[in-house]
Amino acid sequence: MRQARTPYAVAARELLRETLFDAARDLIQERPWAEVTMAEVAAAAGVSRQTLYKEFGSRDEFAQLFVVREGTRFLEAVEQAVRSHFGDSRAALAAALGVFLDAAAEDQLVIALLRDDGTGGMLPLVTTQSQPVVAFASARLVDVICEGWPQAERADAEVLAECLVRLALSYAMLPKDPPEQTIPTVMALIEPFVERALGAG
């Protein structure tokens, strides 16, 4: 049986988006997003400014989807950490939080965002204007939780996922202690709910 092929138009659009996002990532590591123009992003990607705007519509839309794209890289690692500990709910969530915080602490884009003063930059998209990112990440995490713990009520999984995402973003954007000290603090807070909703490992 032949494997379904990705239509050319879809593949071309995905390549265009990834190329533009990669160009933006490189530029943001050099200076704040507020100082980066869409024309510079387009030029770095090798396309016209008109092509960029035809694909994304506005600077704000581009920024929001860029943050979601970058967040997906973190989510994939988090999901893998959870799946590796399906037999132990506490270990799964501690591992997921650890993977996220370690990656955020080392990621050059996150470091660049933390240098942003929030004026016209991307930092608000993961802080005060983070609802689209929180909703996207929470939905992904809910699916993984329900996959590993089918006995859990979906409503409980939704509460747990959103709390974890919000806590993880908060600690990543405003780090106080290293991850190895942060994780026990967060787990002590959520363990009673985890034990009730998912069952102790």
Side-chain angles (χ1 to χ4, degrees):
M1 184 176 180
R2 286 185 178 179
Q3 185 176 3
R5 295 182 179 178
T6 303
Y8 171 79
V10 174
R13 186 181 186 193
E14 290 177 354
L15 178 59
L16 172 63
R17 288 189 163 216
E18 289 301 304
T19 302
L20 287 164
F21 288 148
D22 286 343
R25 182 182 174 88
D26 290 342
L27 290 167
I28 294 168
Q29 291 181 60
E30 296 174 359
R31 60 189 192 277
W33 173 244
E35 298 177 8
V36 176
T37 68
M38 296 296 273
E40 288 176 313
V41 174
V47 301
S48 68
R49 183 170 174 271
Q50 289 73 18
T51 297
L52 190 160
Y53 275 112
K54 181 179 179 181
E55 180 61 31
F56 291 99
S58 71
R59 178 184 174 87
D60 287 344
E61 181 183 347
F62 178 87
Q64 289 174 355
L65 292 175
F66 172 79
V67 169
V68 168
R69 195 287 289 258
E70 292 300 309
T72 299
R73 297 188 303 108
F74 289 96
L75 278 172
E76 289 170 351
V78 167
E79 289 168 353
Q80 182 57 43
V82 173
R83 290 192 173 98
S84 298
H85 296 84
F86 269 164
D88 186 334
S89 57
R90 294 173 185 168
L93 298 181
L97 187 60
V99 164
F100 179 83
L101 292 178
D102 283 337
E106 298 170 1
D107 188 89
Q108 291 303 308
L109 180 63
V110 174
I111 293 171
L113 286 176
L114 292 177
R115 293 197 300 263
D116 187 347
D117 64 4
T119 306
M122 282 190 177
L123 186 58
L125 297 178
V126 288
T127 53
T128 58
Q129 300 171 25
S130 63
Q131 187 53 42
V133 174
V134 170
F136 171 75
S138 298
R140 292 264 305 240
L141 190 53
V142 166
D143 289 342
V144 177
I145 291 172
C146 290
E147 175 188 341
W149 294 273
Q151 77 279 9
E153 296 289 339
R154 188 168 185 87
D156 286 340
E158 289 172 350
V159 169
L160 179 58
E162 182 169 345
C163 286
L164 280 171
V165 169
R166 290 183 181 277
L167 283 168
L169 283 174
S170 177
Y171 278 107
M173 293 299 105
L174 294 170
K176 177 184 176 184
D177 300 313
E180 60 268 20
Q181 295 179 30
T182 299
I183 294 168
T185 300
V186 175
M187 291 307 300
L189 177 67
I190 67 173
E191 271 183 11
F193 185 88
V194 171
E195 185 171 349
R196 179 185 70 76
L198 308 184

